[in-house]
Amino acid sequence: MDAERRFRCNDADVEARMLDGELMMVNLATGVYFSVDGVGAAAWQRLVAGHRPADIAAGFADRWGVARERALAELAPFVAALLERGLLLEAEREAEEAPELAASAYGPPVLHAFTDMEELLAADPPMPGVIADELTGA
Amino acid sequence: MAAPLVSCVLTTYNSARFVAEALTSVAAQEHPRLEVLVCDDGSTDETAAIVAAHPLAATFSSAPNAGPPVVRNRGWRAARGAYVAFLDADDRWLPGKLRRQVAELEARPGLAWSVTRLRTFWMPELAEEEARLRGQRRAGEVAGYVASTLMVRREVGARFGMFDEGSFTLDIPKWIRAAEEAGLEGSLLDAVLVERRMHAANLTRTHTRACRSGVLDLVAEALRRKRAAGPGA
């Protein structure tokens, strides 16, 4: 992983919501849904705000006293999984402000993926990339 | 006609452009014991006149606009058939749809509901979208947990409950999930028996935010159940 890259959420296909410190996401194109908690949720919030993995790892090191190299090494597979699952896209952009780090303790970020609603969600949600009411201001 | 075995609840809302096709697809089922209830959600266009002019003798009723689950429930309550099959006015049933689902529900008395697979087609005004989505999983033939594929036993409405009238979108997946949770068994019939139309006024298009948020409500509920079930669920 290039620790200097920046990213954004794949908004066209992905819906995400924070609830009680847990991040839940669904990829409408695949019907797969995800949960991320603790450090992973914090990492996601920073990644989609355009923060570079190197900077995120540095922030984790400052916040939890974990070695920066370890934080970056453990962030890399998480970012790779987000990219592979179509949740995150590379982007040329500036970083925006991200929420404070809320998790109480450090642990490697983990993306939990679930496929048991693929069929249930195959037909009814909006087609990927279709966000028409935003165009009309509805 | 003998007492109906199947009630078709065809829901309409400003459906003048498509409702005749939907009715024709119902007529093509050639089911001998079918009643057709067109339940209108406060249309302001020519829907009523088109229904009245169609050769299929349908019963038309209209009420002020209240949203899809309210209208579907109105039809469900009015239905007289042992089986209630829903159809949105912009979709089409394929031949044999009713016969195959009735056969399945008759053969398996424990089943409360049945859905089928569906395929999607696009109106010409959305050719660009069709080209963009072609080849994607959801643009092909998929499991149809939507109203137009769904057939339920009528009595399940009284015994378990009908659609959540507070769910403007995704009322069918939510109902099915709740039914499964309550132990009501259902079935996905492995055949494409419905065609779903994509057009400029699809509800999932005009209310995209609500639909996408509704998906996350389902996800949140699924995750809650997994947590309640414990590790490994």
Side-chain angles (χ1 to χ4, degrees):
Chain A
M1 179 188 70
D2 182 348
E4 305 300 321
R5 287 191 296 175
R6 297 184 194 274
F7 305 92
R8 66 175 177 85
C9 176
N10 178 15
D11 292 311
D13 293 352
V14 175
E15 194 71 17
R17 181 189 296 167
M18 286 290 297
L19 185 66
D20 299 330
E22 179 185 26
L23 169 69
M24 61 185 82
M25 296 184 281
V26 60
N27 185 330
L28 297 171
T30 63
V32 180
Y33 64 100
F34 307 88
S35 80
V36 181
D37 53 19
V39 173
W44 167 264
Q45 289 174 316
R46 278 152 185 73
L47 288 163
V48 299
H51 294 231
R52 299 174 305 180
D55 297 332
I56 296 170
F60 287 179
D62 291 344
R63 169 69 175 79
W64 289 295
V66 62
R68 186 177 300 200
E69 295 73 20
R70 177 189 160 196
L72 187 57
E74 292 178 339
L75 183 59
F78 180 70
V79 174
L82 293 171
L83 288 165
E84 183 187 344
R85 294 288 191 172
L87 305 172
L88 206 59
L89 298 173
E90 285 193 60
E92 297 289 330
R93 57 175 297 182
E94 298 295 314
E96 299 167 2
E97 197 170 334
E100 291 292 310
L101 294 170
S104 57
Y106 179 81
V110 179
L111 179 69
H112 301 282
F114 303 97
T115 59
D116 56 300
M117 292 209 299
E118 277 178 316
E119 290 211 310
L120 189 73
L121 298 177
D124 206 6
M127 283 286 184
V130 174
I131 315 181
D133 60 357
E134 291 186 0
L135 300 178
T136 62
Chain B
M1 182 183 81
L5 179 66
V6 181
S7 299
C8 165
V9 173
L10 198 172
T11 54
T12 55
Y13 174 64
N14 288 341
S15 306
R17 189 178 176 198
F18 305 126
V19 69
E21 274 186 71
L23 286 165
T24 299
S25 81
V26 175
Q29 300 296 309
E30 298 182 331
H31 197 284
R33 294 174 59 195
L34 172 69
E35 69 169 353
V36 183
L37 308 174
V38 178
C39 298
D40 183 69
D41 195 17
S43 291
T44 56
D45 66 356
E46 302 302 311
T47 297
I50 292 169
V51 172
H54 195 276
L56 186 66
T59 301
F60 182 88
S61 67
S62 190
N65 183 257
V70 175
V71 185
R72 286 195 255 277
N73 286 349
R74 177 154 58 86
W76 195 341
R77 281 190 291 271
R80 294 182 297 139
Y83 305 110
V84 183
F86 300 91
L87 176 59
D88 288 345
D90 46 1
D91 297 335
R92 302 186 297 222
W93 285 345
L94 291 171
K97 193 258 188 196
L98 292 186
R99 176 179 51 77
R100 294 187 62 172
Q101 284 187 293
V102 167
E104 182 173 48
L105 290 169
E106 298 264 289
R108 299 173 63 187
L111 288 185
W113 52 269
S114 162
V115 293
T116 78
R117 295 192 178 277
L118 62 75
R119 64 170 162 255
T120 300
F121 68 104
W122 277 261
M123 295 302 288
E125 70 261 27
L126 296 177
E128 188 181 324
E129 177 181 300
E130 179 181 9
R132 178 168 53 83
L133 295 177
R134 188 176 299 133
Q136 290 203 20
R137 184 185 72 105
R138 288 191 48 205
E141 296 178 352
V142 297
Y145 289 93
V146 298
S148 295
T149 69
L150 178 64
M151 177 181 282
V152 297
R153 291 185 195 278
R154 186 190 59 187
E155 53 86 18
V156 171
R159 180 159 56 91
F160 167 69
M162 299 182 184
F163 306 117
D164 175 13
E165 298 193 352
S167 294
F168 189 76
T169 61
L170 293 159
D171 54 320
I172 305 302
K174 288 177 181 175
W175 185 87
I176 286 174
R177 260 290 150 122
E180 289 175 334
E181 183 83 349
L184 291 182
E185 190 184 357
S187 162
L188 169 64
L189 208 159
D190 192 18
V192 175
L193 295 171
V194 169
E195 291 182 318
R196 177 189 44 181
R197 184 192 311 264
M198 300 302 288
H199 56 93
N202 286 120
L203 193 69
T204 52
R205 190 181 309 279
T206 57
H207 295 76
T208 310
R209 285 180 180 143
C211 291
R212 291 173 68 122
S213 179
V215 175
L216 276 182
D217 292 342
L218 277 166
V219 166
E221 181 60 22
L223 291 171
R224 184 198 63 75
R225 276 198 302 270
K226 287 183 190 300
R227 277 194 296 274

